[in-house]
Amino acid sequence: MFFTPITKMKPVENLVFDLGNVLIDFNPRHAVNKIVADHAEQEFLYTTIFRSAYWKQYDQGLITFDELNKTLTDNHPQYTHQINWTLHNWYKEQPYLPGMFNLVSKLNAAGYPLFLLSNANPSFYTFAPNLDILNLFTGITISSDLKLLKPDKEIYDRFCEIHHLHPDEILFIDDQQKNVDGAIAAGWRAYRFTDACALQYALEEQFHIKL
């Protein structure tokens, strides 16, 4: 009788976090709702900007801020002021999600290298200096710098190359299942984030991380 040998999984050595809706509250509706009062217009403006193919191209680094602004305002000239204001202000209300600063601080104190991998556009460099939590991170990579997006496998592979990490020693934390699945396909372990308490429990009980 033959048995398949059990391969012992390597311990988690590095934790890689997504940014929006994991560390901070990414909700551009806060800005949209300040510039227009009508609910239907709020939905239209939010969808037109943040659910558009142009926003995705901006996150991927394929178009510039000026190109994004011009395309959207050319397509919707009646909303030129609202679009321009929103694009310049959407990132100003992004508080930390409850418990996450404390949890990340614990991980840092425990000696775990922390990394960021986010689908983010160049506006990141405008608001990132205000996020003290990022000072606890060893390495930061955003999609627009690589001209790639999660969940494409290539972005996970490039991330490992940039930071000299081994996929089987990484735990990736993201709020979107497609990005979690993408990380797993790249050989990473991954966890879908819901809240800080559930994450801490999983880190300690599932991934045997001591805090």
Side-chain angles (χ1 to χ4, degrees):
M1 183 177 292
F2 295 93
F3 295 93
T4 302
I6 297 174
T7 303
K8 186 176 181 180
M9 187 172 290
K10 290 185 178 181
V12 172
E13 298 287 347
N14 304 282
L15 290 100
V16 181
F17 288 84
D18 179 33
L19 180 62
N21 298 325
V22 174
L23 299 178
I24 62 175
D25 178 19
F26 170 70
N27 189 355
R29 291 181 186 275
H30 295 315
V32 170
N33 294 351
K34 284 186 175 182
I35 193 66
V36 290
D38 179 76
H39 179 70
E41 286 190 311
Q42 289 172 349
E43 287 301 308
F44 173 79
L45 193 59
Y46 173 79
T47 302
T48 295
I49 298 174
F50 299 103
R51 295 301 183 187
S52 68
Y54 308 114
W55 184 262
K56 186 175 181 179
Q57 291 171 12
Y58 186 40
D59 271 353
Q60 195 171 351
L62 301 181
I63 60 175
T64 66
F65 176 87
D66 289 340
E67 289 170 333
L68 172 69
N69 199 350
K70 184 177 188 305
T71 299
L72 292 174
T73 53
D74 284 353
N75 289 347
H76 307 282
Q78 70 276 32
Y79 288 102
T80 294
H81 169 67
Q82 292 88 339
I83 290 171
N84 183 64
W85 187 91
T86 301
L87 288 177
H88 281 90
N89 290 277
W90 66 267
Y91 52 80
K92 293 182 178 179
E93 290 188 48
Q94 297 188 103
Y96 297 121
L97 289 185
M100 285 306 294
F101 197 111
N102 183 53
L103 179 53
V104 168
S105 297
K106 287 181 180 179
L107 289 166
N108 178 66
Y112 287 95
L114 308 175
F115 297 86
L116 184 79
L117 176 60
S118 177
N119 281 352
N121 54 62
S123 298
F124 169 83
Y125 294 109
T126 300
F127 65 79
N130 299 320
L131 297 176
D132 291 340
I133 197 170
L134 297 183
N135 294 329
L136 304 177
F137 281 66
T138 300
I140 293 172
T141 297
I142 64 170
S143 57
S144 57
D145 287 342
L146 300 184
K147 304 292 192 292
L148 297 167
L149 287 172
K150 297 177 294 183
D152 293 342
K153 181 176 181 294
E154 188 177 355
I155 196 170
Y156 303 99
D157 294 341
R158 287 283 294 118
F159 181 90
C160 288
E161 292 173 7
I162 291 167
H163 299 288
H164 308 291
L165 303 180
H166 296 287
D168 59 357
E169 296 177 349
I170 293 173
L171 174 62
F172 178 58
I173 299 151
D174 197 293
D175 66 302
Q176 295 192 41
Q177 188 62 47
K178 64 181 180 179
N179 296 337
V180 168
D181 293 341
I184 292 171
W188 300 15
R189 275 166 283 185
Y191 172 84
R192 184 173 183 181
F193 178 86
T194 53
D195 61 71
C197 290
L199 174 57
Q200 179 164 341
Y201 181 84
L203 291 175
E204 294 176 328
E205 300 299 325
Q206 182 179 348
F207 299 105
H208 309 295
I209 290 174
K210 297 180 180 180
L211 298 176

